[in-house]
């Protein structure tokens, strides 16, 4: 940079203003460089940035700067479609829902059985809960996070939502009439292929978003008896397309139009047209992943732009889940496919 370009330039550094004249004194240069160097070595600064951007409160690496770099590179991998795949074994019942909470993957089957496995391990699943079809009906969908697991059932009135403590794996709540209209279809799911009845997802704000084709609700998981929102839908939803990230949820209507809303206020954040039907989808902080005909297509949710596709020929998908590193999909033959976008 020549002297003329430096003339009159001011730069704000850590709350102090440094002026550059025609000649910048070496001592002032040293002050600026040392200030930036000190800031870049501040682990609390990187902790703050990682928390604000990616919602991380616990680090997986030695320092928060390393955590920030890892999260940034992983996010870039999602944008550019860089990943490697793996798969879990096949199960006797259709997989109805998946939770990814690193290092664990948790999944449930239509009969209500819940299994837990380690992502980086030998893929040997432990059964954490035995389902009871007679008392609860079919497990239509299953979701959660490290703190909560949530199941959406259909078949027995008044028992649509089940909530477990994710730490103790104990059932702590059963109620709501969300799927009462769909009770008969819930039983039919055990013997025949039917359209999806409903879906439920959990946000990092300890709330759950659940919907059927004609209704959706938002529950406070710490006080689920009093829904935060409970609304009828004026137009039919493709309920397979519902998913949430830390603060928002995406839902696609029966014309393929996607809308992203804040979970707490229902404020619309963006919308885009997928031009797809019969969807299964999930989302993370930056991307929506929607699967149709065995192909997963990716959109950026900040502006609703289409990016790329992957996972060709995995077949019809019963369940999907994603976080800021992994994407998992359960195909109709009950095989779970897993893609890792983590920085290497």
């Amino acid at each position: 940079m020549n002297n003329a370009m430096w003339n009159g330039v001011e730069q704000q550094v850590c709350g102090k203003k440094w002026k550059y004249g025609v000649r910048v004194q070496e001592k002032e240069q040293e002050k600026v460089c040392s200030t930036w160097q000190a800031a870049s070595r501040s682990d609390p600064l990187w902790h703050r940035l990682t928390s604000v951007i990616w919602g991380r409160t616990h680090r997986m690496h030695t320092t928060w700067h390393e955590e920030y770099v890892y999260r940034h590179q992983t996010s870039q991998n999602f944008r550019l479609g860089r990943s490697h795949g793996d798969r879990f074994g096949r199960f006797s019942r259709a997989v109805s829902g998946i939770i990814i909470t690193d290092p664990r993957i948790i999944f449930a089957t239509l009969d209500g059985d819940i299994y837990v496995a380690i992502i980086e391990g030998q893929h040997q699943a432990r059964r954490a809960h035995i389902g009871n079809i007679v008392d609860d009906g079919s497990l239509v969908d299953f979701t959660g996070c490290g703190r909560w697991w949530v199941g959406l059932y259909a078949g027995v009135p008044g028992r649509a939502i089940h909530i477990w403590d994710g730490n103790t794996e104990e059932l702590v709540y059963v109620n709501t009439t969300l799927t009462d209209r769909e009770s008969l279809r819930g039983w039919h799911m055990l013997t025949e292929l039917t359209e999806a009845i409903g879906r439920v997802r959990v946000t990092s704000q300890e709330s759950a978003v659940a919907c059927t084709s004609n209704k959706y609700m938002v529950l406070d998981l710490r006080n689920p008896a009093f829904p935060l929102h409970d609304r009828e839908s004026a137009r039919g939803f493709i309920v397979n397309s519902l998913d949430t990230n830390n603060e928002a949820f995406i839902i696609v209507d029966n014309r393929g139009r996607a809308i992203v809303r804040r979970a707490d206020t229902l404020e619309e954040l963006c919308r885009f047209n997928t031009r797809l039907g019969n969807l299964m989808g999930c989302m993370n902080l930056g991307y929506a992943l929607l699967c149709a005909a065995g192909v997963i297509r990716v959109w950026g949710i900040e502006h609703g732009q289409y990016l790329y596709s992957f996972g060709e020929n995995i077949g019809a998908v019963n369940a999907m889940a994603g976080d800021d590193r992994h994407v998992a999909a359960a195909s109709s033959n009950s095989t779970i496919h897993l893609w890792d976008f983590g920085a290497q």
Side-chain angles (χ1 to χ4, degrees):
M1 184 177 293
N2 59 39
N3 288 342
M5 293 178 68
W6 279 112
N7 190 36
V9 174
E10 295 183 350
Q11 184 172 2
Q12 187 80 19
V13 180
C14 297
K16 296 182 180 179
K17 192 171 288 186
W18 301 92
K19 294 186 178 180
Y20 297 85
V22 174
R23 292 185 177 180
V24 179
Q25 300 297 320
E26 291 183 0
K27 186 174 292 186
E28 288 185 342
Q29 286 181 325
E30 292 173 359
K31 288 180 180 178
V32 173
C33 292
S34 62
T35 301
W36 280 112
Q37 289 172 359
S40 68
R41 290 193 297 266
S42 171
D43 219 37
L45 171 64
W46 295 111
H47 183 185
R48 170 73 174 164
L49 289 172
T50 306
S51 175
V52 169
I53 297 173
W54 291 289
R56 301 293 299 189
T57 57
H58 297 87
R59 67 173 186 253
M60 298 172 57
H61 297 81
T62 304
T63 67
W64 280 105
H65 177 256
E66 292 176 359
E67 188 75 20
Y68 177 92
V69 171
Y70 173 81
R71 297 294 161 187
H72 175 72
Q73 292 176 345
T74 299
S75 179
Q76 286 297 102
N77 287 348
F78 263 104
R79 173 165 288 277
L80 299 175
R82 296 191 293 241
S83 68
H84 61 272
D86 198 355
R87 65 177 61 186
F88 285 75
R90 296 175 63 179
F91 300 89
S92 58
R93 285 279 189 179
V95 175
S96 56
I98 305 170
I99 301 172
I100 300 175
T101 172
D102 207 358
R104 298 187 300 170
I105 181 170
I106 306 158
F107 44 92
T109 59
L110 188 61
D111 59 8
D113 287 353
I114 300 173
Y115 298 87
V116 179
I118 303 300
I119 293 176
E120 302 292 344
Q122 299 298 316
H123 297 179
Q124 295 179 349
R126 169 180 62 86
R127 187 160 62 178
H129 175 76
I130 300 175
N132 188 330
I133 295 178
V134 175
D135 289 346
D136 297 323
S138 301
L139 180 52
V140 174
D141 195 18
F142 178 73
T143 186
C145 57
R147 179 68 179 87
W148 305 103
W149 303 349
V150 181
L152 179 65
Y153 290 76
V156 179
R159 297 180 67 85
I161 299 290
H162 289 49
I163 300 174
W164 289 264
D165 184 312
N167 296 324
T168 65
E169 302 179 1
E170 293 181 357
L171 185 66
V172 296
Y173 177 81
V174 177
N175 209 339
T176 83
T177 60
L178 181 64
T179 60
D180 282 8
R181 300 179 190 176
E182 317 292 346
S183 293
L184 184 59
R185 290 180 58 202
W187 292 115
H188 286 173
M189 288 184 66
L190 297 172
T191 58
E192 62 188 67
L193 292 175
T194 64
E195 292 185 2
I197 291 174
R199 199 162 191 202
V200 61
R201 282 296 176 264
V202 168
T203 77
S204 68
Q205 307 302 312
E206 298 199 78
S207 62
V209 181
C211 79
T212 63
S213 61
N214 49 48
K215 187 176 183 181
Y216 64 94
M217 62 173 27
V218 181
L219 300 174
D220 183 345
L221 292 171
R222 294 160 297 187
N223 189 18
F226 301 96
L228 300 175
H229 301 282
D230 188 354
R231 299 190 181 185
E232 297 286 333
S233 171
R235 59 186 182 184
F237 288 134
I238 305 172
V239 296
N240 279 351
S241 64
L242 170 70
D243 201 19
T244 65
N245 62 20
N246 283 2
E247 298 177 348
F249 68 93
I250 184 172
I251 199 164
V252 184
D253 68 17
N254 54 12
R255 296 183 181 179
R257 295 175 297 191
I259 299 176
V260 180
R261 297 183 182 275
R262 290 187 60 88
D264 53 356
T265 65
L266 302 185
E267 172 193 357
E268 182 178 315
L269 300 179
C270 79
R271 62 171 60 202
F272 55 92
N273 196 332
T274 70
R275 296 181 175 84
L276 299 171
N278 194 21
L279 290 168
M280 177 65 68
C282 66
M283 72 185 295
N284 59 20
L285 284 174
Y287 308 96
L289 302 99
L290 303 173
C291 184
V295 178
I296 299 174
R297 295 171 174 84
V298 183
W299 280 263
I301 61 174
E302 184 176 2
H303 302 294
Q305 74 275 29
Y306 173 76
L307 299 175
Y308 59 90
S309 66
F310 69 98
E312 286 83 354
N313 302 320
I314 63 172
V317 169
N318 294 332
M320 283 185 68
D323 63 5
D324 55 3
R325 175 179 173 179
H326 297 97
V327 173
S331 56
S332 56
N333 66 0
S334 299
T335 298
I336 296 179
H337 303 264
L338 183 69
W339 292 270
D340 186 349
F341 289 81
Q344 301 299 309

